[in-house]
Each structure stands twice: as structure tokens, then as C-alpha cells.
Amino acid sequence: MNKKLLCAGIALAALAGGLFVGCSSDTFERCVPRKSAEVSSADLEGSYRGSGDADRTTITLKTTPGQFGGTMTVRKWPSSDFPRYGKDQTFDGSGTWQVDKTADSGKYPMVRLSFDEPDALTTVNTVDLLSIGVDSKRTALYDEADPDTCPAFRLERG
């Protein structure tokens, strides 16, 4: 049976009975792996393909020895930090990336992107801070707008 339909059925039955039961992401397979507190730049190196609002988007991360990151290239990257509403406004570019463990990323490290190309006017409002999810099968980078929903802008290494 479809997991989403099963979850919806359980929630409806619970509501009919006067109870509130959520279908948490722990109940079924997550659309992205859990955030990882322990990740190195070497763990993240590789090419990622987008899905959801990141459909047709790619990013390639290469490490630089001795640093917490390296260089990156992007294709069809959104010019807006709301990719759903500006899908036709994308750019190809390059720059650097790093695993950011500063206070604004909380207890989980994030990937911070700095674009060299194209110019700053194109990249000023883009997605440039991504959460990192890792499990035994997948590594994903995603823009976590709402931790209770599947991230709309997500890329998986493949």
C-alpha cells in the first residue's frame, strides 16, 4: 500500500476518534536523510542532481586539501531564494564552498556557497546555505525552509 495513503488514513481515523496523531518523518522513509552532526568536506565531494524545486539543477563539489571545502560549479541554479516562483530564472556559475559550523547553522554543519560567476547582482538572492543529510545510502544537500515538511529544493549525490 502507498505509504502516503496509509499515513493519511491513520491521521483521518485518529481525527475521527478525537485524537491528533501526526505522521512524522520517522514513521516512514524520509525524502532526505537526517541532518548529520559529523560530516567532513571529503564526505561531500561529488556531483549532485536536483529534484523537487531543484529539478534539472546540478552542483559539483571538489575539495581543496587542507580546507573545509573547495571549489564548486552549478548548472541551472536559481537566481531567487524562492526557486518555486522563479524556476525560469537560473544561472550557470562557479565559486567556492565550505562546511560551515558557525552559530547561525546551529549544531549541524551546513554547506555555505560563495559564487564567483556570474556577477553579484545575479547571485545576491540565491540559495547559498544548504543543510546536509547523510545516511548509509544517500548524501543530500537541501534548503530547509520548514523542518516538518520534505524540502522542496533538494539535491542528491548520484
Side-chain angles (χ1 to χ4, degrees):
M1 176 178 240
N2 183 319
K3 292 178 183 179
K4 288 182 181 178
L5 289 175
L6 178 62
C7 182
I10 292 169
L12 285 174
L15 285 173
L19 301 171
F20 179 75
V21 175
C23 235
S24 74
S25 54
D26 293 333
T27 306
F28 300 114
E29 184 177 334
R30 299 173 53 89
C31 66
V32 293
R34 292 194 179 285
K35 285 184 182 181
S36 177
E38 299 297 323
V39 66
S40 71
S41 56
D43 296 331
L44 300 175
E45 186 171 38
S47 295
Y48 295 76
R49 299 184 70 73
S51 61
D53 287 352
D55 188 37
R56 298 180 308 186
T57 301
T58 63
I59 185 169
T60 301
L61 305 177
K62 294 182 180 178
T63 58
T64 302
Q67 294 185 15
F68 293 109
T71 60
M72 57 118 180
T73 56
V74 296
R75 301 286 178 255
K76 298 200 179 294
W77 199 261
S79 295
S80 167
D81 57 355
F82 294 104
R84 174 172 289 164
Y85 303 110
K87 281 193 172 205
D88 57 338
Q89 298 173 350
T90 64
F91 66 91
D92 296 344
S94 61
T96 58
W97 67 279
Q98 67 178 16
V99 177
D100 189 346
K101 297 181 180 184
T102 60
D104 64 338
S105 66
K107 69 179 184 176
Y108 296 103
M110 299 179 82
V111 171
R112 184 173 301 276
L113 308 175
S114 298
F115 294 94
D116 296 333
E117 302 171 18
D119 62 36
L121 292 177
T122 305
T123 62
V124 70
N125 291 321
T126 191
V127 176
D128 61 359
L129 191 62
L130 298 167
S131 294
I132 304 165
V134 178
D135 65 19
S136 63
K137 299 177 189 172
R138 306 176 291 166
T139 299
L141 305 174
Y142 54 94
D143 183 23
E144 185 177 44
D146 180 354
D148 294 326
T149 63
C150 182
F153 187 84
R154 58 190 183 274
L155 301 114
E156 227 175 275
R157 187 167 56 196

